[in-house]
Short mmCIF file of all heavy atoms in Angstrom, two decimals:
data_model
loop_
_atom_site.label_atom_id
_atom_site.label_comp_id
_atom_site.label_asym_id
_atom_site.label_seq_id
_atom_site.Cartn_x
_atom_site.Cartn_y
_atom_site.Cartn_z
N ASN A 1394 84.80 97.70 84.93
CA ASN A 1394 84.43 96.35 84.50
C ASN A 1394 83.89 95.46 85.61
O ASN A 1394 83.35 94.38 85.32
CB ASN A 1394 85.63 95.67 83.83
CG ASN A 1394 85.91 96.22 82.46
OD1 ASN A 1394 85.32 95.79 81.47
ND2 ASN A 1394 86.80 97.21 82.38
N PHE A 1395 84.03 95.88 86.87
CA PHE A 1395 83.56 95.06 87.99
C PHE A 1395 82.85 95.92 89.02
O PHE A 1395 83.11 97.12 89.13
CB PHE A 1395 84.74 94.31 88.63
CG PHE A 1395 85.35 93.27 87.75
CD1 PHE A 1395 86.38 93.61 86.88
CD2 PHE A 1395 84.89 91.97 87.77
CE1 PHE A 1395 86.94 92.66 86.04
CE2 PHE A 1395 85.44 91.01 86.94
CZ PHE A 1395 86.48 91.35 86.07
N ASP A 1396 81.97 95.28 89.76
CA ASP A 1396 81.26 95.97 90.83
C ASP A 1396 82.13 95.94 92.08
O ASP A 1396 81.91 95.15 93.00
CB ASP A 1396 79.91 95.29 91.07
CG ASP A 1396 79.07 96.03 92.12
OD1 ASP A 1396 79.38 97.20 92.41
OD2 ASP A 1396 78.11 95.42 92.65
N VAL A 1397 83.11 96.80 92.12
CA VAL A 1397 84.08 96.84 93.22
C VAL A 1397 83.43 97.50 94.44
O VAL A 1397 82.92 98.62 94.35
CB VAL A 1397 85.34 97.60 92.80
CG1 VAL A 1397 86.31 97.73 93.98
CG2 VAL A 1397 86.01 96.91 91.63
N GLY A 1398 83.45 96.79 95.56
CA GLY A 1398 82.84 97.32 96.79
C GLY A 1398 83.61 96.89 98.01
O GLY A 1398 84.78 96.49 97.92
N GLU A 1399 82.96 96.91 99.17
CA GLU A 1399 83.66 96.70 100.43
C GLU A 1399 84.16 95.27 100.60
O GLU A 1399 84.94 94.99 101.49
CB GLU A 1399 82.79 97.10 101.61
CG GLU A 1399 81.56 96.25 101.83
CD GLU A 1399 80.81 96.65 103.09
OE1 GLU A 1399 80.98 97.79 103.56
OE2 GLU A 1399 80.05 95.81 103.61
N ASN A 1400 83.74 94.35 99.74
CA ASN A 1400 84.25 92.98 99.80
C ASN A 1400 85.60 92.85 99.10
O ASN A 1400 86.22 91.79 99.12
CB ASN A 1400 83.25 92.01 99.16
CG ASN A 1400 83.50 90.57 99.54
OD1 ASN A 1400 83.63 90.26 100.72
ND2 ASN A 1400 83.57 89.68 98.56
N TRP A 1401 86.08 93.94 98.49
CA TRP A 1401 87.35 93.93 97.75
C TRP A 1401 88.47 94.51 98.60
O TRP A 1401 88.26 95.47 99.34
CB TRP A 1401 87.23 94.76 96.48
CG TRP A 1401 86.45 94.12 95.37
CD1 TRP A 1401 85.10 93.91 95.32
CD2 TRP A 1401 86.97 93.64 94.12
NE1 TRP A 1401 84.75 93.33 94.14
CE2 TRP A 1401 85.87 93.16 93.38
CE3 TRP A 1401 88.24 93.59 93.57
CZ2 TRP A 1401 86.03 92.61 92.11
CZ3 TRP A 1401 88.40 93.06 92.29
CH2 TRP A 1401 87.30 92.57 91.57
N CYS A 1402 89.65 93.94 98.41
CA CYS A 1402 90.87 94.49 99.00
C CYS A 1402 91.89 94.65 97.88
O CYS A 1402 92.38 93.66 97.33
CB CYS A 1402 91.42 93.59 100.10
SG CYS A 1402 92.96 94.20 100.84
N LEU A 1403 92.19 95.90 97.54
CA LEU A 1403 93.16 96.22 96.51
C LEU A 1403 94.49 96.55 97.19
O LEU A 1403 94.56 97.46 98.02
CB LEU A 1403 92.71 97.40 95.66
CG LEU A 1403 91.71 97.09 94.53
CD1 LEU A 1403 90.40 96.53 95.06
CD2 LEU A 1403 91.45 98.35 93.70
N VAL A 1404 95.51 95.78 96.85
CA VAL A 1404 96.80 95.91 97.53
C VAL A 1404 97.71 96.87 96.75
O VAL A 1404 97.89 96.72 95.55
CB VAL A 1404 97.47 94.54 97.68
CG1 VAL A 1404 98.78 94.68 98.45
CG2 VAL A 1404 96.54 93.56 98.39
N HIS A 1405 98.22 97.85 97.44
CA HIS A 1405 99.14 98.89 96.97
C HIS A 1405 98.39 100.05 96.30
O HIS A 1405 98.36 101.14 96.84
CB HIS A 1405 100.22 98.33 96.04
CG HIS A 1405 101.03 97.24 96.62
ND1 HIS A 1405 101.71 97.37 97.82
CD2 HIS A 1405 101.28 95.98 96.18
CE1 HIS A 1405 102.34 96.24 98.09
NE2 HIS A 1405 102.09 95.38 97.12
N ALA A 1406 97.85 99.85 95.09
CA ALA A 1406 97.15 100.92 94.36
C ALA A 1406 97.98 102.21 94.38
O ALA A 1406 97.44 103.31 94.50
CB ALA A 1406 95.77 101.16 94.97
N THR A 1407 99.27 102.06 94.22
CA THR A 1407 100.19 103.19 94.39
C THR A 1407 100.03 104.24 93.31
O THR A 1407 100.04 105.44 93.60
CB THR A 1407 101.65 102.67 94.38
OG1 THR A 1407 101.77 101.59 95.31
CG2 THR A 1407 102.61 103.77 94.74
N HIS A 1408 99.86 103.77 92.08
CA HIS A 1408 99.91 104.70 90.95
C HIS A 1408 98.50 104.89 90.37
O HIS A 1408 98.06 104.16 89.48
CB HIS A 1408 100.88 104.18 89.89
CG HIS A 1408 102.28 104.08 90.40
ND1 HIS A 1408 103.11 105.18 90.53
CD2 HIS A 1408 102.99 103.02 90.87
CE1 HIS A 1408 104.27 104.80 91.02
NE2 HIS A 1408 104.22 103.50 91.24
N MET A 1409 97.80 105.88 90.90
CA MET A 1409 96.47 106.24 90.43
C MET A 1409 96.46 107.72 90.07
O MET A 1409 97.17 108.52 90.67
CB MET A 1409 95.41 105.98 91.50
CG MET A 1409 95.25 104.53 91.91
SD MET A 1409 93.81 104.28 93.00
CE MET A 1409 94.36 105.10 94.51
N ASP A 1410 95.61 108.09 89.11
CA ASP A 1410 95.41 109.51 88.87
C ASP A 1410 94.31 110.01 89.81
O ASP A 1410 93.67 109.20 90.51
CB ASP A 1410 95.08 109.78 87.39
CG ASP A 1410 93.77 109.16 86.91
OD1 ASP A 1410 92.86 108.93 87.73
OD2 ASP A 1410 93.65 108.91 85.69
N PRO A 1411 94.08 111.31 89.92
CA PRO A 1411 93.11 111.83 90.89
C PRO A 1411 91.70 111.27 90.72
O PRO A 1411 91.01 111.02 91.71
CB PRO A 1411 93.14 113.34 90.64
CG PRO A 1411 94.53 113.60 90.13
CD PRO A 1411 94.85 112.41 89.29
N GLU A 1412 91.27 111.05 89.48
CA GLU A 1412 89.92 110.51 89.26
C GLU A 1412 89.82 109.08 89.76
O GLU A 1412 88.82 108.68 90.38
CB GLU A 1412 89.57 110.59 87.78
CG GLU A 1412 89.34 112.00 87.25
CD GLU A 1412 90.64 112.76 87.02
OE1 GLU A 1412 91.73 112.13 86.99
OE2 GLU A 1412 90.56 114.00 86.86
N GLU A 1413 90.86 108.28 89.52
CA GLU A 1413 90.87 106.91 90.03
C GLU A 1413 90.85 106.91 91.56
O GLU A 1413 90.13 106.12 92.19
CB GLU A 1413 92.12 106.18 89.56
CG GLU A 1413 92.14 105.79 88.10
CD GLU A 1413 93.47 105.16 87.72
OE1 GLU A 1413 94.51 105.83 87.85
OE2 GLU A 1413 93.47 103.98 87.30
N THR A 1414 91.64 107.77 92.15
CA THR A 1414 91.72 107.84 93.62
C THR A 1414 90.37 108.12 94.22
O THR A 1414 89.93 107.44 95.17
CB THR A 1414 92.73 108.92 94.04
OG1 THR A 1414 94.02 108.61 93.50
CG2 THR A 1414 92.83 109.02 95.55
N ALA A 1415 89.67 109.10 93.69
CA ALA A 1415 88.36 109.47 94.23
C ALA A 1415 87.34 108.37 94.00
O ALA A 1415 86.56 108.03 94.91
CB ALA A 1415 87.89 110.78 93.59
N ALA A 1416 87.34 107.78 92.81
CA ALA A 1416 86.36 106.74 92.50
C ALA A 1416 86.58 105.50 93.35
O ALA A 1416 85.62 104.88 93.82
CB ALA A 1416 86.42 106.40 91.02
N LEU A 1417 87.84 105.12 93.55
CA LEU A 1417 88.13 103.95 94.37
C LEU A 1417 87.71 104.19 95.81
O LEU A 1417 87.14 103.31 96.46
CB LEU A 1417 89.61 103.60 94.29
CG LEU A 1417 90.06 102.36 95.08
CD1 LEU A 1417 89.27 101.13 94.66
CD2 LEU A 1417 91.55 102.12 94.91
N ALA A 1418 87.98 105.38 96.33
CA ALA A 1418 87.58 105.70 97.70
C ALA A 1418 86.07 105.58 97.85
O ALA A 1418 85.57 105.00 98.83
CB ALA A 1418 88.05 107.10 98.07
N ARG A 1419 85.33 106.09 96.90
CA ARG A 1419 83.86 106.09 97.00
C ARG A 1419 83.27 104.69 96.80
O ARG A 1419 82.12 104.44 97.19
CB ARG A 1419 83.28 107.07 95.98
CG ARG A 1419 83.59 108.53 96.30
CD ARG A 1419 82.72 109.46 95.46
NE ARG A 1419 83.06 109.41 94.05
CZ ARG A 1419 83.90 110.24 93.44
NH1 ARG A 1419 84.52 111.20 94.15
NH2 ARG A 1419 84.15 110.13 92.15
N SER A 1420 84.06 103.77 96.23
CA SER A 1420 83.54 102.41 96.01
C SER A 1420 83.34 101.64 97.30
O SER A 1420 82.58 100.67 97.34
CB SER A 1420 84.51 101.64 95.10
OG SER A 1420 85.68 101.24 95.82
N GLY A 1421 84.05 102.03 98.36
CA GLY A 1421 83.99 101.29 99.62
C GLY A 1421 85.03 100.20 99.74
O GLY A 1421 85.14 99.56 100.79
N ALA A 1422 85.80 99.94 98.67
CA ALA A 1422 86.83 98.91 98.73
C ALA A 1422 87.93 99.30 99.71
O ALA A 1422 88.20 100.48 99.93
CB ALA A 1422 87.43 98.69 97.35
N VAL A 1423 88.57 98.29 100.28
CA VAL A 1423 89.72 98.51 101.15
C VAL A 1423 90.98 98.58 100.29
O VAL A 1423 91.16 97.76 99.39
CB VAL A 1423 89.88 97.36 102.17
CG1 VAL A 1423 91.09 97.58 103.06
CG2 VAL A 1423 88.61 97.21 103.00
N VAL A 1424 91.82 99.55 100.56
CA VAL A 1424 93.16 99.56 99.98
C VAL A 1424 94.13 99.15 101.08
O VAL A 1424 94.19 99.79 102.14
CB VAL A 1424 93.54 100.93 99.41
CG1 VAL A 1424 95.02 100.96 99.03
CG2 VAL A 1424 92.69 101.26 98.19
N CYS A 1425 94.87 98.07 100.84
CA CYS A 1425 95.87 97.62 101.80
C CYS A 1425 97.22 98.23 101.43
O CYS A 1425 97.74 97.99 100.34
CB CYS A 1425 95.98 96.10 101.84
SG CYS A 1425 97.20 95.54 103.05
N LEU A 1426 97.75 99.01 102.35
CA LEU A 1426 99.03 99.68 102.15
C LEU A 1426 100.11 98.96 102.97
O LEU A 1426 99.86 98.54 104.10
CB LEU A 1426 98.92 101.14 102.58
CG LEU A 1426 97.84 101.92 101.83
CD1 LEU A 1426 97.57 103.26 102.49
CD2 LEU A 1426 98.22 102.09 100.37
N CYS A 1427 101.28 98.84 102.38
CA CYS A 1427 102.39 98.11 103.00
C CYS A 1427 103.62 99.01 102.95
O CYS A 1427 104.55 98.76 102.16
CB CYS A 1427 102.64 96.80 102.26
SG CYS A 1427 101.16 95.78 102.00
#
Side-chain angles (χ1 to χ4, degrees):
N1394 286 275
F1395 292 88
D1396 184 17
V1397 176
E1399 66 176 21
N1400 197 51
W1401 285 71
C1402 178
L1403 278 62
V1404 183
H1405 304 306
T1407 309
H1408 298 282
M1409 297 188 290
D1410 64 25
E1412 290 77 15
E1413 287 176 299
T1414 301
L1417 181 57
R1419 292 194 292 266
S1420 75
V1423 179
V1424 170
C1425 181
L1426 302 168
C1427 310

